[in-house]
Amino acid sequence: MARQVSKGRSVKVTVPSGFGSVEAGKFYEISGIFGMAVDNAQEGEQVVLLIEQAEYETSQIDATLTYNVGNKLYYDPGNKLLTTAADDGAGTSFRLVGIVTQEKDANGVIWFILGPQV
């Protein structure tokens, strides 16, 4: 038996113990899935992550870095930030999540295209 259960634009995941709270409108990697939280959630609760491949706007970035159009964008799970650094400098690689489409503006906001889930 097989059937389609959704259009694949979002998924529901449980926030694991020790993760901390999840805030709507922020990006997270939970249970190997990266996306934008649609609602707030606490550890042990379910949260919907928007995973649709689309262009997003965010200020959830490392303010010390420059973000230029075409830069690869990675997710730093320790700091829960989007970065242009591929790793933490100590050997831990970050997950590639997209490409910058509008450089960081004066308000510390970028636009990016979310890549497909792999």
Side-chain angles (χ1 to χ4, degrees):
M1 183 195 100
R3 66 185 178 101
Q4 180 178 353
V5 294
S6 78
K7 297 289 184 189
R9 295 182 183 131
S10 64
V11 294
K12 193 181 293 186
V13 295
T14 301
V15 180
S17 177
F19 189 85
S21 60
V22 171
E23 186 180 332
K26 289 195 172 183
F27 291 90
Y28 299 94
E29 182 177 16
I30 301 174
S31 299
I33 301 170
F34 179 81
M36 186 181 73
V38 174
D39 11 69
N40 297 325
Q42 300 299 319
E43 295 174 6
E45 296 178 341
Q46 288 193 321
V47 64
V48 173
L49 293 180
L50 184 61
I51 62 169
E52 182 175 12
Q53 189 175 355
E55 189 172 32
Y56 295 86
E57 163 181 76
T58 187
S59 60
Q60 190 181 339
I61 60 173
D62 182 338
T64 66
L65 298 176
T66 302
Y67 292 77
N68 295 310
V69 174
N71 285 154
K72 291 181 180 178
L73 199 60
Y74 300 87
Y75 182 68
D76 172 355
N79 295 307
K80 296 182 178 165
L81 293 174
L82 298 169
T83 178
T84 56
D87 60 52
D88 66 359
T92 301
S93 295
F94 296 148
R95 179 182 182 153
L96 177 63
V97 295
I99 302 237
V100 177
T101 57
Q102 291 290 319
E103 67 185 31
K104 182 171 71 172
D105 65 17
N107 296 315
V109 173
I110 64 165
W111 289 13
F112 74 99
I113 291 184
L114 179 62
Q117 300 288 318
V118 235

